[in-house]
Amino acid sequence: PEVARHLNEMAKPSSTFARLLNDGQRASLVAIADRICSNGVIVADEVGMGKTRIAGFVAKAVAQSGGRSAVVIPPGLGFQWRREFRDCG
């Protein structure tokens, strides 16, 4: 529940992260918040839709809640994930 609360806060247009998220990404965070407590989630979408950024915000919400995340990065994309996760805080 704590992770879901953080995700909903991040998804608000008035949040400090609003400039980093488009409408679809904010909607994804809300959908993840609705499901994470009971079933968990798998994030899958077309290239360029923001999966990396969404994963970064989910990992941040988990960390803010006192949890830990393991991130498996596709070969050759470490630079992109590093930049996205840094932007997410």
Side-chain angles (χ1 to χ4, degrees), residues 11-66:
K12 288 181 179 178
S14 60
S15 82
T16 58
F17 304 106
R19 64 179 177 75
L20 297 173
L21 296 164
N22 64 33
D23 292 340
Q25 292 164 341
R26 279 197 302 278
S28 292
L29 290 180
V30 170
I32 290 168
D34 288 344
R35 293 166 177 82
I36 200 159
C37 293
S38 55
N39 299 319
V41 295
I42 295 174
V43 178
D45 210 336
E46 296 180 35
V47 173
M49 299 304 289
K51 295 177 300 295
T52 304
R53 186 160 293 177
I54 291 166
F57 280 108
V58 171
K60 181 176 182 65
V62 169
Q64 288 177 325
S65 301

Side-chain angles (χ1 to χ4, degrees), residues 65-76:
S65 301
R68 299 184 311 167
S69 299
V71 179
V72 180
I73 300 171

